[in-house]
Amino acid sequence: MDGKQTHKAHRVHKAGASAKKKLVEKKKKNAEKNNPKAFAIQSAQKAERMARRKAELDEKKYHVPMADRTPTIPPPLVVAVVGPPQCGKTTLIKSLVRRYTKHTLSEIRGPVTVVSGKKQRLTFVECPNDINAMTDVAKVADLVFLVIDASYGFEMETFEYLNLLQTHGMPKVMGVLTHLDDFKDNKKLKLVKKNFKHRFWTEVYDGAKLFFLSGVENGRYLDREIMNLSRFVSVVKLRPLAWRNSHPYLLADRVQDLTDPEILETNPKANRTVALYGYLRGTHMKGKDRVHIPGAGDYQLDQTELLADPCPIPDKERKRLDERHKLMYAPMSEVNGVMYDKDAVYIDVRKGKHEVNAVEGEGEKMLSELQKANAVSERLATQQFNLFSGAKPVSAEAVGGARARRPAVFDGDDL
């Protein structure tokens, strides 16, 4: 046969034992769906709660897009070290500075800026135990180290500062647990770590980083523990805060009084002219803007100047930082006794212990007298000298008094 063979279509049985059996199985399978009252809403309030919760979960997935105004070379991240007294804040900053720069600071005063990587700089600020200082630091901190004394436990300063952080946008928070070397029993130490971790998660959020510093050697924490902490800081991701992105603000690294010393000696309460040095963050700042200085009030800027970066990022891409690129800028701490200005370099030569009670020489006395603002002017005001032998001595009052102007008269001019 040339044509294709065709088969008769299958006919489903609509009657008989087999058809009845399939019908019964189908009814049993869909019995739940065929009873609408069994799956109806039992409580309207519960249904409303579930619908509201579903809507909130869906809304959490959406974030308002934040405009990233970070410049090409970003300013240093402000790392605030906060905690109650005698919990190890200064030791932590010294250990981190030693880790990043190989320098040892004798004391921490003011902000300390270090180059922590090929494209990152950090400014460490130690927050004193004062509510005003804690509020000011909370306004500018990008990353917060909450230092907790494990031998004592949580203190009220920690919870107060967390409340302040929530008011000002809640930056990134990491916990640091110190004084763990006071626990000699390993079983008790493990239990203490677990309790502190869960309590810290309750206050901040589940999964918040908590670092453990077990002991101190040579005035610093152990190198391996500080290295782990520094690695987490180098890869931390910070979410930009809306208020800081839309307002200019500056953390002063150095403050210099430009007022004339002679004015201050005559009137100690005279108006001051002050220069503030620091990295500008947020938006741009103009010359005549009004600014608020915490603790001082509102003032108008006289002028703003762009200065060279005192702690620059390495100029070209490198696989790792050399020793000469591990820079540090701490003008208030007077690192190595050198302080840089825009037009001068000040070198502080401190006396040794054996030179404190030494007798000053003639040259040192002359320099110390010249450093006084009114020393030279007062001495000249009382001095007299003779132009000719036997003539009346001339004093500063006679020279500096009111002088009568006499016009020059030439021949042929009318008087």
Side-chain angles (χ1 to χ4, degrees):
M1 294 178 62
D2 295 335
K4 293 185 179 179
Q5 182 180 3
T6 58
H7 298 280
K8 194 175 182 179
H10 175 69
R11 187 180 60 179
V12 179
H13 291 284
K14 295 182 180 179
S18 179
K20 289 181 181 179
K21 185 177 179 182
K22 287 185 178 181
L23 184 61
V24 171
E25 289 179 356
K26 187 176 181 181
K27 286 184 178 180
K28 287 183 179 179
K29 185 177 181 181
N30 297 330
E32 297 178 354
K33 297 180 181 179
N34 295 333
N35 186 5
K37 290 186 177 180
F39 298 93
I41 297 174
Q42 300 294 330
S43 172
Q45 294 180 353
K46 184 177 180 181
E48 183 188 1
R49 257 196 327 266
M50 291 176 64
R52 193 186 307 122
R53 173 167 172 76
K54 186 177 183 302
E56 289 177 357
L57 292 175
D58 292 340
E59 190 67 23
K60 283 182 180 180
K61 298 177 182 179
Y62 302 104
H63 292 285
V64 178
M66 300 286 292
D68 191 6
R69 294 189 176 90
T70 307
T72 307
I73 302 177
L77 297 178
V78 180
V79 181
V81 182
V82 186
Q86 304 297 324
C87 66
K89 300 189 295 293
T90 306
T91 309
L92 178 60
I93 296 179
K94 287 181 180 180
S95 303
L96 287 169
V97 170
R98 174 71 179 180
R99 158 71 183 162
Y100 286 123
T101 65
K102 306 300 182 185
H103 287 282
T104 302
L105 291 179
S106 56
E107 58 178 337
I108 304 294
R109 288 192 300 175
V112 179
T113 304
V114 299
V115 177
S116 59
K118 294 176 287 186
K119 295 182 180 180
Q120 188 188 53
R121 291 172 293 181
L122 303 175
T123 297
F124 295 104
V125 180
E126 181 179 351
C127 181
N129 190 33
D130 178 67
I131 189 63
N132 298 317
M134 292 164 72
T135 305
D136 296 335
V137 171
K139 295 176 182 178
V140 298
D142 299 313
L143 176 64
V144 177
F145 284 153
L146 277 180
V147 185
I148 305 163
D149 187 354
S151 62
Y152 187 85
F154 283 100
E155 300 185 42
M156 285 305 300
E157 286 85 350
T158 306
F159 300 111
E160 289 172 357
Y161 195 76
L162 284 173
N163 290 334
L164 289 173
L165 289 179
Q166 291 175 356
T167 307
H168 294 97
M170 198 59 186
K172 191 79 171 180
V173 178
M174 292 185 180
V176 179
L177 205 59
T178 60
H179 293 81
L180 291 174
D181 50 344
D182 294 344
F183 298 94
K184 306 302 180 184
D185 186 8
N186 290 334
K187 189 175 181 180
K188 187 178 180 181
L189 177 61
K190 189 176 180 179
L191 182 62
V192 167
K193 286 182 179 180
K194 182 180 178 181
N195 292 337
F196 270 106
K197 183 179 68 173
H198 287 292
R199 180 59 179 162
F200 186 72
W201 286 5
T202 304
E203 292 299 325
V204 186
Y205 59 87
D206 287 347
K209 286 295 178 183
L210 183 62
F211 296 91
F212 306 108
L213 303 181
S214 56
V216 178
E217 287 185 0
N218 300 324
R220 301 190 309 272
Y221 292 114
L222 301 181
D223 292 340
R224 180 165 293 279
E225 296 171 347
I226 292 297
M227 183 179 66
N228 293 335
L229 178 59
S230 63
R231 282 179 176 174
F232 272 94
V233 173
S234 62
V235 299
V236 68
K237 294 186 182 298
L238 305 176
R239 185 171 182 268
L241 302 179
W243 193 93
R244 297 184 191 179
N245 271 357
S246 57
H247 295 78
Y249 62 99
L250 181 141
L251 175 63
D253 294 327
R254 182 162 62 90
V255 181
Q256 186 177 359
D257 191 358
L258 304 179
T259 313
D260 190 356
E262 292 187 1
I263 298 177
L264 295 179
E265 288 200 4
T266 56
N267 183 16
K269 295 184 179 181
N271 294 333
R272 303 291 185 96
T273 302
V274 180
L276 302 175
Y277 300 83
Y279 291 93
L280 181 64
R281 297 171 172 88
T283 57
H284 300 288
M285 184 181 289
K286 300 178 182 178
K288 299 297 181 181
D289 288 349
R290 290 186 63 82
V291 297
H292 175 74
I293 302 176
D298 297 335
Y299 296 91
Q300 185 174 4
L301 294 177
D302 182 42
Q303 63 177 354
T304 56
E305 295 184 13
L306 178 64
L307 304 179
D309 195 342
C311 189
I313 292 178
D315 50 357
K316 57 183 180 179
E317 191 72 22
R318 303 175 186 277
K319 290 186 177 181
R320 60 188 300 273
L321 290 180
D322 298 331
E323 293 297 330
R324 57 193 177 92
H325 292 111
K326 294 180 180 178
L327 301 178
M328 176 172 55
Y329 177 63
M332 292 187 184
S333 298
E334 296 180 4
V335 179
N336 299 329
V338 179
M339 187 169 61
Y340 295 95
D341 200 354
K342 61 181 180 180
D343 55 357
V345 178
Y346 302 97
I347 302 176
D348 182 17
V349 182
R350 298 185 179 182
K351 294 183 177 181
K353 293 183 179 180
H354 62 283
E355 298 178 351
V356 174
N357 298 324
V359 180
E360 291 185 349
E362 186 176 350
E364 293 179 347
K365 288 182 179 179
M366 182 182 69
L367 287 175
S368 60
E369 289 292 329
L370 287 175
Q371 287 176 354
K372 297 180 181 179
N374 291 339
V376 179
S377 58
E378 289 178 358
R379 191 174 298 174
L380 290 177
T382 57
Q383 292 294 328
Q384 294 180 349
F385 62 94
N386 297 334
L387 292 176
F388 306 101
S389 60
K392 185 178 179 180
V394 181
S395 63
E397 295 179 357
V399 175
R403 182 173 64 87
R405 301 183 65 183
R406 297 179 297 168
V409 179
F410 299 97
D411 293 339
D413 293 342
D414 294 335
L415 296 176

